[in-house]
Amino acid sequence: MLGLLLIVLVVGALFALPSSGGRRQVQQRQQVSFDDAYADAKRWTDRLGSQVLNLSGNDAASTQAMADASERFNAASAGLADARTPKQAMLARESALEGLHYVNAAREIMGLPAGPALPELEGQRQAGRVTEERSVRQEDGTVVTASPVATEATPHYYPGGAVAGRPVPAGWYSTAWWAPAMMTGMWAASSMMFYSTMFAGMSGAASAEAFEAGGLGDAGAGAEGMGDMGDMGDAGGDFGGDFGDFGGGFDFGGFDF
C-alpha cells in the first residue's frame, strides 16, 4: 500500500512539472512582449531623434525646451540600449514621449505646427496644468513663477505628469523646481508647503491633497512604477538637461504671494 502511494505521488509530481514545450511557450510569449514594447519605444525614440537633429530654438523658451528634448532623447536611447524587459522598454518609451512633448512646446512657441497628437504621459491627466500665472516668493527673496504660456520670465517647460510619484502640472516655470526630485527620486519635506502655496485653488492643477498623497502614476514600488522617477535616471544616466540653475537651492520654506 505504501509503495502504491509513493508511485501515485511521484506520478502526480511529474504531471505537475511544466513541460519543456510549456516553458518554451512562456519564453516565446515573453520575447514577443518585449519585442513589441521595444519596437514601440524605438519608434518614438527615432521620431524624437529626428526632431532634435533638425529643430533648434529661436528664443530662450524654445531653446530650453529643445535642450530638454535632447536630454530626453539621450535618456530614451540609453534606456533602449539597456532594456531587457518590457517594463524597461516602456521606461524608454516614456522618456521619448516626454521629449516629444518638449518638442511640441518649442514648435508652438516658434509658430510651427505641433504635428500628430501624442499619447499622454504617465500621470499627465492627473497632474493637470497651470491655468493662471502665479508667483511665490521664498524667504531668501527667490521668486518661483508658474505660467500657462511661455514668457521671458518662465522659460522652463514641463509637460505635466508624475515626478517621484507626485504631480507636477503642465506649464511654464521660472525654474525647474521639480528637477531635484526627478534626479533623486525623493521630494524635500518642505515641497508640500511649496506646492500648496503655488497651486492651492488653481483650476486645472492637481490639488495639494493629491500631491501630499503621492503614488501618482505608480504601478508598484521602486523600479516597478513610472511614478517613482528615480529610475528614470537609470534610463538616461544624468538627468541634467539644463537643470544646473535651480535658484535658491530650493529651500521651499516660508512663502508669500
Side-chain angles (χ1 to χ4, degrees), residues 160-177:
V163 175
R166 301 183 189 276
V168 175
W172 295 87
Y173 298 91
S174 58
T175 188
W177 58 273

Side-chain angles (χ1 to χ4, degrees), residues 164-230:
R166 301 183 189 276
V168 175
W172 295 87
Y173 298 91
S174 58
T175 188
W177 58 273
W178 59 89
M182 184 169 283
M183 289 188 291
T184 65
M186 298 176 61
W187 288 93
S190 52
S191 61
M192 178 62 208
M193 182 184 294
F194 170 79
Y195 189 95
S196 178
T197 306
M198 176 65 82
F199 298 106
M202 183 181 291
S203 173
S207 67
E209 290 76 15
F211 187 90
E212 183 177 17
L216 185 66
D218 286 346
E224 297 297 317
M226 288 301 302
D228 186 349
M229 297 298 283

Side-chain angles (χ1 to χ4, degrees), residues 17-249:
L17 291 174
S19 66
S20 59
R23 288 195 298 270
R24 282 197 299 269
Q25 289 179 346
V26 170
Q27 291 171 348
Q28 288 172 353
R29 286 196 297 269
Q30 291 174 338
Q31 186 63 47
V32 168
S33 179
F34 171 73
D35 290 345
D36 289 346
Y38 185 94
D40 190 35
K42 188 175 188 305
R43 175 170 65 93
W44 293 111
T45 302
D46 290 346
R47 177 173 162 184
L48 173 59
S50 176
Q51 293 291 312
V52 167
L53 182 64
N54 293 296
L55 187 65
S56 299
N58 58 15
D59 62 7
S62 58
T63 298
Q64 179 65 59
M66 288 308 301
D68 292 334
S70 179
E71 191 284 330
R72 292 287 78 202
F73 172 68
N74 292 338
S77 298
L80 279 177
D82 294 338
R84 299 293 182 270
T85 67
K87 193 172 293 293
Q88 290 171 334
M90 290 171 63
L91 284 169
R93 175 184 184 270
E94 190 77 358
S95 294
L97 287 175
E98 187 172 350
L100 286 166
H101 280 280
Y102 281 115
V103 169
N104 278 358
R107 295 178 71 90
E108 181 180 349
I109 297 169
M110 294 187 287
L112 300 174
L118 297 170
E120 282 191 322
L121 298 172
E122 191 76 20
Q124 192 173 44
R125 182 180 303 171
Q126 296 98 317
R129 61 180 54 254
V130 177
T131 53
E132 61 185 79
E133 184 170 314
R134 190 176 289 184
S135 296
V136 170
R137 183 181 298 276
Q138 302 180 75
E139 286 184 334
D140 64 359
T142 302
V143 176
V144 180
T145 300
S147 173
V149 297
T151 69
E152 290 186 3
T154 54
H156 293 270
Y157 178 70
Y158 190 72
V163 175
R166 301 183 189 276
V168 175
W172 295 87
Y173 298 91
S174 58
T175 188
W177 58 273
W178 59 89
M182 184 169 283
M183 289 188 291
T184 65
M186 298 176 61
W187 288 93
S190 52
S191 61
M192 178 62 208
M193 182 184 294
F194 170 79
Y195 189 95
S196 178
T197 306
M198 176 65 82
F199 298 106
M202 183 181 291
S203 173
S207 67
E209 290 76 15
F211 187 90
E212 183 177 17
L216 185 66
D218 286 346
E224 297 297 317
M226 288 301 302
D228 186 349
M229 297 298 283
D231 265 0
M232 291 302 290
D234 295 337
D238 178 14
F239 197 94
D242 200 2
F243 292 154
D245 181 11
F246 294 149

